[in-house]
Amino acid sequence: MSKESRRSTIPQFYVMDVWKAAAERARTHGDVLVLAAGQPSTPAPAPVLRATKQAIESELLGYTETFGILPLREAIAAHHRETYGYPVDPDDVVVTTGSSGAFSLIFLAAFDPGDTVVVARPGYPAYRNTLTALGCEVRELDCGAETRFQPTVAMLEALPEPPAGLVLASPANPTGTMIAPAELAALARWCEAHGTLLISDEIYHGITYQDAPADGGTSSAWETSRRAVVIGSVSKYFSMTGWRLGWMLAPAHLRPALQRLASNLTVCPPAISQYAALHAFGPEAKSELDGHVRRYAVNRRLLLDGLPELGITDLAPADGAFYAYADIGHLTDDSRKWCAQVLEHTGVALAPGLDFDTVNGHRTVRFSFAGSTADITAALARLADYLKS
């Protein structure tokens, strides 16, 4: 009888169980409010939808170049030039099947089994789990409130030896915190000096808030080091999660390996998504998308003000993205069970921290505020009644 591989025995993604339970609650009660989803609640921008219809009628939609069609790579390169001011050539851009595809490709291209790769804790679980499945040794850095839940040069200096790679995210999932530009530059310089590949997850760029600290502005790793890898995606700011389109800015020395791997593993990213995403970077789309960010800002303020009124006061600074990450240790030492009970009694779906923190996740929870303002308001009211009972 065949058996499952050892590499497949990585931890499950608990939030997917929450989504399944929320869908069942919606079917049976019709009252679910989903604050667990790490995705916008809005469709793709209108220009993208129009372009999709046109592409279906006019394009072959067969295989494309492995790294993506040239017009899209040109648009992504222009986006980075205009946003950050650094030079980017279309040849620097590798279009992938979602940012998840980008991470898998760069992990395969840059790391061998046994290599040590450093990630922040708390952090996005797919970094850790994908690296583990590929045979890498994952070293978690315990990042707390004193460093805004982000890694520092001092943490890297304290390691026994320089790691093969460092994966960081700013804004981060689940905390929403950002690395100050000076600290990101220092990390990039340290990695370059020590032969460590810096992989900078920048998929939440574009979703930041005016009252975030002045030193926590959005910056990109390529502003300092062209030896780093920058990961982007149309999923978050661009409101196109299910279109499964991401990209990376990759150093020239890694592109041959990326080409060999991508052409064998995926052939190319989805053609329809490529032709559609061409129109996500224009002024009409940006105006629509910035409107979503203004709504996120309202929802964020509702949670940051409302949760402390419910006694949930230990919150990570939500500088960007659309998450509030809370320590609920005064309420439970089993966040998975607590979230299940909240869903059962209130219809509010939340993400337990077990996905994001292998040490303290049993006492943390992530609130997503990417939904409607009415849903956030209603969820707070239901939680208030539940916590009083």
Side-chain angles (χ1 to χ4, degrees):
M1 185 175 69
S2 61
K3 62 179 180 64
E4 63 180 27
S5 68
R6 287 192 299 273
R7 68 171 57 91
S8 70
T9 59
I10 55 176
Q12 67 188 77
F13 205 168
Y14 289 103
V15 75
M16 304 309 293
D17 292 340
V18 175
W19 287 7
K20 180 179 180 181
E24 178 63 14
R25 172 82 185 200
R27 186 186 69 81
T28 58
H29 291 69
D31 65 346
V32 71
L33 299 173
V34 181
L35 276 65
Q39 65 176 350
S41 57
T42 46
V48 170
L49 298 178
R50 292 197 301 268
T52 303
K53 296 175 184 178
Q54 182 177 355
I56 290 172
E57 295 173 353
S58 63
E59 299 292 344
L60 175 63
L61 300 179
Y63 297 135
T64 72
E65 296 176 57
T66 295
F67 281 176
I69 59 174
L70 178 59
L72 179 58
R73 288 186 283 118
E74 290 175 333
I76 292 169
H79 167 71
H80 281 271
R81 289 194 301 269
E82 294 163 5
T83 302
Y84 308 103
Y86 52 66
V88 184
D89 187 86
D91 287 343
D92 297 323
V93 179
V94 177
V95 182
T96 59
T97 306
S99 61
S100 298
F103 282 110
S104 295
L105 273 179
I106 193 60
F107 293 165
L108 282 165
F111 307 132
D112 286 315
D115 281 350
T116 297
V117 182
V118 171
V119 301
R121 187 184 72 243
Y124 182 54
Y127 307 148
R128 178 182 70 246
N129 294 339
T130 303
L131 286 163
T132 299
L134 295 177
C136 294
E137 296 293 328
V138 179
R139 178 76 175 258
E140 294 184 322
L141 298 178
D142 185 9
C143 299
E146 66 282 359
T147 65
R148 300 182 70 78
F149 299 92
Q150 292 284 0
T152 65
V153 169
M155 292 178 187
L156 297 178
E157 291 281 5
L159 296 174
E161 59 183 8
L166 166 66
V167 184
L168 57 80
S170 176
N173 177 10
T175 60
T177 61
M178 294 167 61
I179 300 175
E183 186 66 31
L184 178 58
L187 285 163
R189 287 192 296 268
W190 190 95
C191 287
E192 188 165 311
H194 292 81
T196 297
L197 180 65
L198 171 60
I199 301 173
S200 180
D201 183 349
E202 301 181 4
I203 70 171
Y204 288 98
H205 279 209
I207 308 176
T208 58
Y209 305 103
Q210 291 184 350
D211 62 346
D215 66 348
T218 304
S219 60
S220 173
W222 262 33
E223 293 178 57
T224 301
S225 174
R226 304 292 289 234
R227 304 287 293 183
V229 172
V230 168
I231 306 292
S233 170
V234 298
S235 287
K236 307 302 182 179
Y237 170 76
F238 295 96
S239 194
M240 295 174 63
T241 50
W243 299 69
R244 306 315 302 136
L245 198 76
W247 68 85
M248 71 177 94
L249 305 184
H253 73 280
L254 287 172
R255 288 177 215 152
L258 291 166
Q259 172 73 33
R260 293 191 298 270
L261 288 162
S263 61
N264 279 284
L265 293 175
T266 59
V267 180
C268 67
I272 185 65
S273 299
Q274 293 187 62
Y275 285 101
L278 267 171
H279 301 267
F281 299 94
E284 182 184 352
K286 188 174 187 299
S287 176
E288 182 178 339
L289 296 168
D290 286 345
H292 300 333
V293 177
R294 288 191 290 273
R295 172 170 49 83
Y296 301 154
V298 172
N299 294 351
R300 168 182 177 268
R301 181 45 52 195
L302 284 172
L303 279 180
L304 294 185
D305 291 343
L307 290 174
E309 293 177 1
L310 304 184
I312 300 174
T313 58
D314 193 349
L315 301 169
D319 303 325
F322 33 61
Y323 306 117
Y325 192 62
D327 188 318
I328 56 167
H330 62 296
L331 297 174
T332 185
D333 62 358
D334 186 343
S335 61
R336 184 183 181 190
K337 180 179 179 181
W338 187 84
C339 287
Q341 291 172 337
V342 167
L343 178 61
E344 178 185 357
H345 292 285
T346 73
V348 177
L350 304 172
L354 293 175
D355 279 326
F356 312 106
D357 192 325
T358 58
V359 175
N360 298 309
H362 63 284
R363 54 178 293 149
T364 59
V365 65
R366 189 192 72 180
F367 298 79
S368 171
F369 50 84
S372 71
T373 300
D375 281 357
I376 301 299
T377 302
L380 284 168
R382 293 187 196 179
L383 286 171
D385 290 341
Y386 176 72
L387 293 174
K388 289 176 185 175
S389 62

